[in-house]
Amino acid sequence: AEREAWAPRRQIVGECRLSMLMFAHLASAAFIASRSALLPTPATHPSAAATAGTRACVASAPRRGGEAVMAGMPLPAGSLVALATPMTSTGEVDIATLRELLRWHKAEGTDGVVILGTTGEASTLTSAEKEEVMAATREEVGGEMAILVGTGTISTEATIAATKQAKLFGADAALVVTPYYVKPSQAGLVAHFTRIADAVELPIVLYNVPGRTGVDMSVETTVALSRHPRICGLKDATGDNTRAAPMRAVCGDDFRLYSGEDAAAREYVLQGGDGVISVTANVAPAAVAAVMASGRAGDAAAALAADGPLMALHRDLFCEANPIPVKWALHKMGRMGEGIRSPLSPLGVAFQPRVAGALQQAGCIASEEGASAAAGSVGWPSRDLLLQGHLFDQGLINQALDIIEKQNGDFEILAFSVQPNDQNSEFNFRRTSSVSLRVFGVDASALEDITRRLRALVDVLESAEGSLTVLPAKAAAPPA
C-alpha cells in the first residue's frame, strides 16, 4: 500500500522518539544571530582570534609507528554512514569483515564513514579495539572517503584525549557529541567544545542528539561555536528540520549541516542541509546516496521517489535500541556475523519479521516465499490526531507514545509547533506545544482502542492541560 506523499518524519522509538519534538526554537536567521550574540563565543578566545575567518577543516597527522599520514580530506556533502562494528558470534571485533564493509561502501557511493559512534558500539570497545578499527579504516578507505571518528564523552579532558588519538590514527574529523547525563548549560557547552577545538588540530563536527543525551544544544549555541575555525559542522539529530535554513543563512556554506535522522534527512537537505549521517546507509548505501544526491540538486520529486522504498527501514531500524536492529539486518543480508555486546542483546524475535519486511521493501534482501514485502504498519488503518498542551514538562508526549507502542500500534509525526523559548541559557520545557500524529492500528478495532486510551490519558493528566482532536484526513498541520 502506498502512502500519501506528505513529508514523513522518523519513527522514533524509546528515548529517541522525543528527539523530533522536544527542542524546536527559531523562526528566522536574524533572531538566531541576535540570540547567539548573548553567549560567549570562540572568536573571542585568543587562539581563535588569530585565525578568525579561516576555517581550518583540513589537517595532517602522524600515524602510529611514526609514518606520516595526511588526514586532509574535506568534510563531504551527501551520505555518510554511521558504521556498525562487525563482531563474531562470540563478541570479538571482526576486522576482516570491517574491511569488506568499507570496500562495499566505497563501491556503493557512500561519501564518508563515521566510525566508533553509537552505532559502532564505541562505549563497549577497549582502547586496543578502537585503535584496530581506526587503523583498518584508514588503510581501506583513507584518502578516498572522509573518515570521522566519534570521540565525545561525558568529560572534556577525556574527549580531548580521544580526539588526539583519532588524529594520530589519521581521522579527517572528529564527531563530538554533547556531554550526556550531566546536562550542561549552554554556556557550559560553549566552553566544552571550545576547549576541545583549541586543544586538537583536527576538524570538529558537533553532534546534537537530545533524545539520548538529555541536553539540547540550541541554535544560538551552535552558531556561536561555528565561529571557531576548527568547528566545521553539525550532526543534527533533533528531528527539527526548521533549523536547517536559518543556520545555513548564518553559519555560511562552508559549515556542514548533517541530519542525524534518516526519515527527516531528505527534507533537511531540501531545506539547506548538506547530507546525512545515516544508520539506514549501513544496509542500503547506494539508495541513501541517491536520495541525498537528488536532495542536494533540489529535485524534491526524485528525492521522494528514491526515499519511498526506504521509509520502512527508517522506522524499523529503530524498533529496538540502535544498533540492535541494524546489526541483525546486516547479519540477515550476510554482511556480518550476529555478534553484539552486552548490555545490548540480539533483536527480539517479535521484531525480526518487521525488520526483514523493511529490508525486502527496500530491495536489500529477496522476498521470502509466502511473505509479504510490505511490513510493519504499511497498509494498516490510520487516523490523524492533534495532541496539544504542556507536552514535555508533564510527560504527556512520552506517555502518549508509550500507549501507542504498548498497544502494538505505530505512528508517524506529521508536524509540530512549539512556542518560542523565553530563556536565554536554558531550555524552557513548560511551553504550550502541538504535535500532529498519524496513528496506525493493526485493525480498525485496535485503532479505536488506541484513540480511546489517548483520550483517557489526556483526561487523567490534568496538569498537562492537554487536548486530543481527531483531524480530517488533510488537516495534519497544527496551528502556528
Side-chain angles (χ1 to χ4, degrees):
E2 189 177 49
R3 294 185 184 161
E4 301 173 49
W6 38 259
R9 302 287 188 186
R10 170 180 168 184
Q11 303 312 290
I12 309 168
V13 177
E15 293 181 295
C16 297
R17 288 183 155 181
L18 295 180
S19 64
M20 186 137 196
L21 299 171
M22 288 179 66
F23 306 99
H25 283 260
L26 303 172
S28 70
F31 179 69
I32 296 170
S34 63
R35 289 288 295 279
S36 62
L38 299 174
L39 294 167
T41 64
T44 61
H45 191 283
S47 64
T51 53
T54 303
R55 196 175 292 284
C57 291
V58 177
S60 62
R63 189 175 176 177
R64 187 183 184 189
E67 181 183 357
V69 173
M70 294 305 296
M73 289 202 72
L75 289 173
S79 173
L80 290 74
V81 61
L83 197 68
T85 302
M87 296 177 184
T88 66
S89 58
T90 57
E92 297 173 349
V93 175
D94 188 344
I95 294 297
T97 298
L98 172 65
R99 293 179 182 276
E100 292 175 4
L101 278 178
L102 291 166
R103 290 193 290 267
W104 179 50
H105 278 284
K106 184 166 62 174
E108 291 285 291
T110 298
D111 297 292
V113 58
V114 179
I115 57 174
L116 302 180
T118 303
T119 310
E121 297 175 87
S123 61
T124 71
L125 302 186
T126 66
S127 295
E129 288 170 333
K130 291 178 181 178
E131 290 178 359
E132 285 188 279
V133 169
M134 288 188 286
T137 302
R138 184 71 196 174
E139 289 169 6
E140 288 296 332
V141 299
E144 298 177 85
M145 292 170 60
I147 301 170
L148 283 70
V149 178
T151 63
T153 72
I154 199 171
S155 158
T156 303
E157 294 304 321
T159 300
I160 289 172
T163 306
K164 287 180 176 179
Q165 184 190 45
K167 179 184 174 179
L168 182 69
F169 279 84
D172 296 302
L175 179 67
V176 184
V177 71
T178 57
Y180 37 89
Y181 188 71
V182 293
K183 297 184 179 180
S185 67
Q186 298 302 308
L189 290 174
V190 170
H192 171 75
F193 284 110
T194 300
R195 283 186 60 194
I196 297 164
D198 285 345
V200 189
E201 293 184 1
L202 187 69
I204 301 295
V205 175
L206 309 170
Y207 182 14
N208 188 26
V209 55
R212 279 187 178 268
T213 63
V215 60
D216 177 44
M217 183 167 57
S218 71
V219 181
E220 299 93 333
T221 296
T222 305
V223 169
L225 287 168
S226 74
R227 297 169 183 152
H228 194 292
R230 282 198 288 271
I231 296 179
C232 301
L234 168 72
K235 178 183 177 182
D236 184 347
T238 65
D240 180 4
N241 284 347
T242 64
R243 297 183 176 196
M247 281 198 293
R248 169 62 69 225
V250 176
C251 296
D253 292 337
D254 62 341
F255 187 79
R256 288 298 191 205
L257 295 174
Y258 300 113
S259 172
E261 299 277 353
D262 276 296
R266 169 172 51 86
E267 183 185 350
Y268 188 86
V269 171
L270 288 169
Q271 293 191 20
D274 292 299
V276 63
I277 296 178
S278 170
V279 174
T280 301
N282 276 279
V283 296
V288 175
V291 174
M292 292 297 102
S294 296
R296 290 172 52 223
D299 191 337
L304 177 61
D307 206 22
L310 304 178
M311 293 302 176
L313 278 176
H314 296 333
R315 177 190 66 227
D316 293 333
L317 289 180
F318 298 91
C319 63
E320 289 195 326
N322 182 44
I324 293 171
V326 75
K327 295 199 81 172
W328 184 89
L330 285 164
H331 177 60
K332 180 76 172 177
M333 294 171 64
R335 293 283 175 187
M336 68 167 55
E338 60 185 353
I340 193 166
R341 285 194 177 172
S342 181
L344 301 181
S345 59
L347 184 66
V349 173
F351 292 107
Q352 292 177 12
R354 182 171 175 174
V355 177
L359 290 170
Q360 292 165 16
Q361 186 173 327
C364 298
I365 61 174
S367 297
E368 298 176 5
E369 186 176 352
S372 170
S377 60
V378 177
W380 289 4
S382 66
R383 174 174 294 154
D384 293 351
L385 302 175
L386 175 64
L387 183 63
Q388 296 175 292
H390 298 295
L391 300 185
F392 304 118
D393 65 314
Q394 298 299 322
L396 179 58
I397 186 63
N398 292 35
Q399 295 183 55
L401 300 185
D402 283 346
I403 284 173
I404 297 169
E405 185 178 46
K406 288 177 181 177
Q407 301 309 309
N408 297 314
D410 202 353
F411 73 94
E412 288 173 348
I413 298 172
L414 305 181
F416 66 93
S417 175
V418 185
Q419 288 183 350
N421 192 17
D422 59 2
Q423 297 185 16
N424 291 334
S425 61
E426 299 293 339
F427 187 82
N428 179 12
F429 284 87
R430 189 166 179 79
R431 297 187 284 163
T432 301
S433 310
S434 302
V435 59
S436 295
L437 300 171
R438 180 158 293 162
V439 178
F440 298 85
V442 293
D443 53 32
S445 176
L447 183 59
E448 289 293 339
D449 182 56
I450 291 172
T451 304
R452 179 182 58 80
R453 291 173 182 269
L454 291 175
R455 288 191 186 282
L457 171 66
V458 169
D459 291 341
V460 169
L461 201 60
E462 294 180 357
S463 59
E465 301 176 3
S467 66
L468 184 73
T469 306
V470 177
L471 297 174
K474 298 296 184 181

